[in-house]
Amino acid sequence: MGLKNTLFLALLAAMVAKEVFAAQHVVGGSQGWDQSTDFKSWTSGQTFKVGDKLVFKYSSLHSVVEVGNESAYKSCDISNPIQSLSTGNDVVKLEKPGTRYFTCGTLGHCSQGMKLKITILKGNANAPSPASSPSSSSSSSSSSSPSFSPAITTDASSASQCFASFLFILALSLTVMLSLF
């Protein structure tokens, strides 16, 4: 019976650890999903890994449309979306490695640069995600310096991660204690 409990707690600890170490990326940082955000600069400072989450925060003037390929992304073709979101506080879990493409569904916003291309890496890779520039950009050097914005978590998610860390440590401690008996 002690071995079953130990295995159960070890599994629980592993599941909690997976969630603790996943990052939440608030798309666009403090500016959010908005036309004024430089998504190329924001993306260049991020590393997206399997298990992470994208958090899109925006006003009712916008929406989030995920498109299936680079061609649709570049041409702002949202006629065949993978998913469309419009709550203003949408969370997208990054479940597998690869490239994903997001645009704003409001007419004209995508062509004005309100779109995001990310590459999701496996495991603990630390290379930043390559970003694509909006089609309206004419040069790679701009007058404003690119800003670095690490994975940003809200106060609620920080508290949640602290609680998850506590649960992880508690489960690990119980596992060790039970294995001693």
Side-chain angles (χ1 to χ4, degrees), residues 44-150:
S44 70
Q46 306 295 310
T47 300
F48 304 99
K49 294 179 271 184
V50 172
D52 288 357
K53 295 174 183 173
L54 294 180
V55 180
F56 289 89
K57 294 181 180 256
Y58 53 92
S59 73
S60 61
L61 298 174
H62 306 295
S63 66
V64 177
V65 178
E66 183 173 5
V67 296
N69 57 52
E70 183 133 12
S71 175
Y73 169 79
K74 285 183 175 179
S75 65
C76 296
D77 179 4
I78 60 171
S79 63
N80 191 21
I82 292 175
Q83 66 176 323
S84 296
L85 308 167
S86 59
T87 69
N89 190 24
D90 302 309
V91 178
V92 175
K93 188 166 184 180
L94 307 178
E95 296 175 334
K96 62 183 181 180
T99 303
R100 292 180 72 176
Y101 308 92
F102 301 92
T103 71
C104 180
T106 303
L107 186 63
H109 289 191
C110 176
S111 62
Q112 294 172 3
M114 196 170 170
K115 57 186 180 176
L116 178 72
K117 173 184 174 182
I118 64 165
T119 300
I120 302 118
L121 305 172
K122 293 180 190 176
N124 295 329
N126 290 321
S129 169
S132 76
S133 61
S135 57
S136 61
S137 293
S138 59
S139 71
S140 60
S141 61
S142 65
S143 58
S144 64
S145 61
S147 61
F148 175 78
S149 176

Side-chain angles (χ1 to χ4, degrees), residues 5-46:
N5 287 341
T6 301
L7 291 174
F8 173 74
L9 289 174
L11 180 62
L12 178 65
M15 290 180 354
V16 170
K18 183 178 177 184
E19 287 299 315
V20 168
F21 296 115
Q24 282 196 353
H25 304 272
V26 177
V27 176
S30 61
Q31 291 177 294
W33 184 241
D34 187 77
Q35 287 174 287
S36 64
T37 304
D38 180 352
F39 293 105
K40 182 179 179 186
S41 292
W42 177 80
T43 306
S44 70
Q46 306 295 310

